[in-house]
Amino acid sequence: MRINTLEKLSQEHVGFSFRKELTTCTKNGLIHFKSSKYNATNTCWNGKSLTIPAYGVYEVSWGFKQRALDTFYNDDVTELSLLIDHKKYESFAVITKETPCYYSMKSSCKTTIMLLRENQNLSLYAEIINKKNPKMKDIYFSILKLDTA
């Protein structure tokens, strides 16, 4: 019996999970998850982007928080986008004046399930519009390879 390539890939159970967090971000652009202790065992992570280690279905989550006063009096818009191979993904986490507020904090997050290929690069991009002194808090980036077999 001949097994095609897709069936071979699904028979290989490659587990992978990844999570990074950053306390604050005050700049527009690519998010750099600074770490005093660089994880040398994870060679697919360079602090800014993650290279997908194996073909498969992944759950990708990202999000952030912001003080409610930062958007209350102004029309500030704060976006956190997922970049796949340096191109913006269609869905992004956003905080505006209309975002609900809980305990003086606003939060926004996105979760999506997608098929990713080996060696694709994923990163987060912050964009703060109409803001002189932007501040994003508790930024997180999480990836989990789902077992599809």
Side-chain angles (χ1 to χ4, degrees):
M1 184 171 141
R2 203 169 141 200
I3 298 174
N4 68 26
T5 307
L6 201 54
E7 288 174 350
K8 283 181 188 175
L9 288 172
S10 68
Q11 288 174 355
E12 296 175 13
H13 297 288
V14 178
F16 180 78
S17 66
F18 172 85
R19 184 167 178 94
K20 288 292 177 186
E21 296 176 359
L22 182 65
T23 307
T24 57
C25 175
T26 58
K27 295 186 213 176
N28 285 334
L30 210 56
I31 300 286
H32 187 193
F33 291 86
K34 301 173 187 107
S35 176
S36 58
K37 183 179 177 184
Y38 181 73
N39 187 359
T41 60
N42 195 350
T43 57
C44 58
W45 174 249
N46 69 6
K48 290 184 181 180
S49 70
L50 173 77
T51 303
I52 296 299
Y55 177 90
V57 178
Y58 289 82
E59 179 183 272
V60 182
S61 301
W62 68 99
F64 69 102
K65 294 179 182 175
Q66 192 171 23
R67 287 181 346 132
L69 290 175
D70 290 343
T71 59
F72 188 72
Y73 296 109
N74 305 318
D75 289 328
D76 298 337
V77 177
T78 309
E79 293 179 0
L80 186 62
S81 305
L82 175 68
L83 298 180
I84 303 173
D85 289 332
H86 308 290
K87 293 177 187 164
K88 245 186 198 183
Y89 182 66
E90 61 201 33
S91 183
F92 49 86
V94 63
I95 291 180
T96 64
K97 191 175 186 177
E98 289 80 29
T99 305
C101 174
Y102 301 101
Y103 301 107
S104 76
M105 293 296 283
K106 293 184 176 192
S107 67
S108 180
C109 62
K110 289 291 177 182
T111 299
T112 186
I113 295 175
M114 59 179 60
L115 180 65
L116 295 171
R117 293 180 177 87
E118 187 174 355
N119 295 325
Q120 277 189 302
N121 292 310
L122 273 64
S123 52
L124 293 179
Y125 186 83
E127 193 169 359
I128 299 112
I129 304 164
N130 296 335
K131 188 79 172 147
K132 293 179 184 173
N133 188 13
K135 222 176 222 185
M136 298 170 79
K137 295 182 174 289
D138 300 331
I139 302 160
Y140 76 92
F141 188 28
S142 174
I143 300 169
L144 174 67
K145 186 171 187 297
L146 302 176
D147 188 12
T148 56

